[in-house]
Amino acid sequence: MLGAGLIKIRGDQCWRDLTCMDFHYETQPVPNPMAYFLHHSPWWVHRFETLSNHFLELVVPFFVFLGRRMCVLHGALQILFQVVLIVSGNLSFLNWLTIVPSVACFDDATLGFLFPSGPGSLKDQVLKMQKEGAREARPTLNYGCMMRQAANLALGVLVAWLSIPVVLNLLSPKQVMNSSFNPLRIVNTYGAFGSITKERTEVLLQGTASPNASAPDAVWEDYEFKCKPGDLRRRPCLISPYHHRLDWLMWFAAFQTYEHNEWVIHLAGRLLANDAEVLSLLALNPFADRAPPRWVRGEHYRYKFSRPGGLHAADGKWWIRKRIGPYFPPLSLRDLRGYFRSREWPYPEPE
């Protein structure tokens, strides 16, 4: 949490201007339905959200060292924070995993109200076990016990040693995020959303059965992904903690070029062959039960949420979009033969 907070303060100016949440809900990797409504919150709500984020990531982590009550407060605030993030976006299993260590902040006294009291209850049984254990003489150290203690100490020293570069990275003005400093990756550094994209761009993959890709009468049909925005009338998905990795990668590809993401061309080649394995990752194949497309192209669009109560929303559209231009030109399987061979990729055969 501290790493995530520091990378924000040192990163995008909007985190210091308290304006990042003006954009986050719309431009996050895979928005969900709640993100649509949260995006249209008043400006002062977004300022409060950004300030709260800084407090929860930069201040609250230190509560764990300030005694029992502050440690319990730390756990409650962190879990609440993660629940809010789960509700407001599809960040896969990340937030669910972050909840797990926070549970350790709650001791037996804190969680006792969850269990019934009275004779024969679980609390009563645990109390009896504790009293019996207290009456017994403390066992003498044996060889096995000493070996276990030595192993615990060695592990603690190892983790402390491996944590040195992680701590130095947190203190560095040139902090890196999501990196590892040793081959075993036992201790790592983390950070998220150090920079926020201010507009959402999407790559739409389209195919046509026309023999001439440049013909004015060529009909281009859209492939639909399982979760990422495409069809303007399709409601944003809700999949957390599940993760559609291809949709997530398409988000990264959209604010770069296909030269930086050669796998997109590989994907296009597999679509040209109606590859069943790749098509299973998509929600809609416009060429199902038909011959494969003769051409596939990538189109680049700018997407924005429609305004609740506006004309687009009244027409059932969650999104509005404007074409930016081509992402990659129309390609046929024949065009890609040399490209696949130069990268030693298996050439896809039409199914």
Side-chain angles (χ1 to χ4, degrees):
M1 299 307 297
L2 187 60
L6 289 172
I7 202 72
K8 291 179 175 67
I9 289 295
R10 293 168 174 155
D12 202 316
Q13 180 66 35
C14 71
W15 287 114
R16 298 186 290 277
D17 294 342
L18 306 183
T19 58
C20 275
M21 298 307 294
D22 293 349
F23 312 100
H24 167 73
Y25 295 117
E26 183 176 75
T27 62
Q28 63 180 306
V30 186
N32 68 7
M34 187 59 69
Y36 174 84
F37 298 101
L38 290 172
H39 174 70
H40 295 288
S41 301
W43 67 269
W44 56 268
V45 173
H46 292 317
R47 301 299 178 273
F48 173 76
E49 291 169 338
T50 312
L51 275 173
S52 299
N53 185 94
H54 293 330
F55 174 71
L56 289 160
E57 292 186 340
L58 293 171
V59 179
V60 171
F62 293 99
F63 287 8
V64 75
F65 305 110
L66 300 180
R68 175 182 173 273
R69 291 185 178 180
M70 295 300 285
C71 183
V72 171
L73 179 60
H74 166 274
L77 289 175
Q78 291 294 1
I79 291 176
L80 176 63
F81 183 35
Q82 298 310 311
V83 170
V84 170
L85 294 176
I86 290 168
V87 169
S88 63
N90 292 301
L91 298 176
S92 70
F93 43 80
L94 172 65
N95 307 116
W96 298 85
L97 285 180
T98 308
I99 288 175
V100 174
S102 297
V103 174
C105 296
F106 305 108
D107 57 15
D108 292 351
T110 307
L111 300 177
F113 73 96
L114 297 174
F115 303 95
S117 303
S121 66
L122 182 60
K123 283 184 182 179
D124 186 50
Q125 295 177 39
V126 171
L127 184 60
K128 290 179 180 178
M129 292 170 60
Q130 290 175 338
K131 289 180 178 179
E132 291 175 1
R135 285 196 298 266
E136 295 178 358
R138 185 175 180 179
T140 57
L141 290 178
N142 53 36
Y143 179 76
C145 183
M146 293 171 59
M147 290 296 295
R148 185 168 62 251
Q149 289 183 358
N152 292 341
L153 179 61
L155 179 61
V157 171
L158 174 64
V159 171
W161 172 257
L162 294 177
S163 297
I164 292 175
V166 176
V167 175
L168 293 177
N169 176 66
L170 288 177
L171 299 176
S172 171
K174 297 181 179 180
Q175 178 191 1
V176 297
M177 66 180 190
N178 304 334
S179 183
S180 182
F181 300 97
N182 63 85
L184 298 179
R185 303 192 177 206
I186 297 175
V187 179
N188 313 289
T189 186
Y190 172 75
F193 296 105
S195 61
I196 295 289
T197 50
K198 307 305 186 294
E199 62 179 23
R200 182 178 199 90
T201 56
E202 292 288 347
V203 176
L204 270 63
L205 299 182
Q206 301 175 331
T208 183
S210 173
N212 183 1
S214 302
D217 60 347
V219 177
W220 291 93
E221 300 177 76
D222 292 352
Y223 288 90
E224 285 291 336
F225 288 74
K226 291 187 176 181
C227 208
K228 90 175 191 70
D231 182 358
L232 303 180
R233 288 183 170 82
R234 189 174 70 169
R235 184 187 66 188
C237 66
L238 183 62
I239 57 167
S240 178
Y242 194 70
H243 185 39
H244 290 306
R245 183 157 179 78
L246 178 58
D247 297 52
W248 190 281
L249 291 175
M250 289 296 291
W251 177 74
F252 284 101
F255 50 81
Q256 298 172 324
T257 65
Y258 74 87
E259 289 90 348
H260 294 100
N261 299 274
E262 292 186 343
W263 61 267
V264 175
I265 304 301
H266 185 271
L267 174 63
R270 301 282 288 273
L271 294 178
L272 284 163
N274 260 2
D275 185 283
E277 187 176 15
V278 167
L279 290 171
S280 70
L281 302 176
L282 304 182
L284 173 65
N285 171 22
F287 297 90
D289 303 321
R290 294 162 54 189
R294 295 189 179 186
W295 302 87
V296 167
R297 71 180 182 183
E299 290 287 282
H300 211 185
Y301 280 84
R302 182 176 295 110
Y303 270 64
K304 291 181 67 67
F305 277 135
S306 63
R307 183 171 58 84
L311 293 176
H312 296 284
D315 193 30
K317 295 178 180 178
W318 291 79
W319 299 94
I320 56 177
R321 73 186 182 192
K322 182 177 181 181
R323 184 176 182 271
I324 299 173
Y327 186 77
F328 63 81
L331 300 170
S332 67
L333 266 181
R334 184 174 58 185
D335 295 334
L336 291 175
R337 186 179 295 275
Y339 192 86
F340 272 63
R341 184 183 298 114
S342 66
R343 286 152 181 81
E344 299 183 348
W345 294 342
Y347 185 70
E349 298 294 339
E351 296 188 3

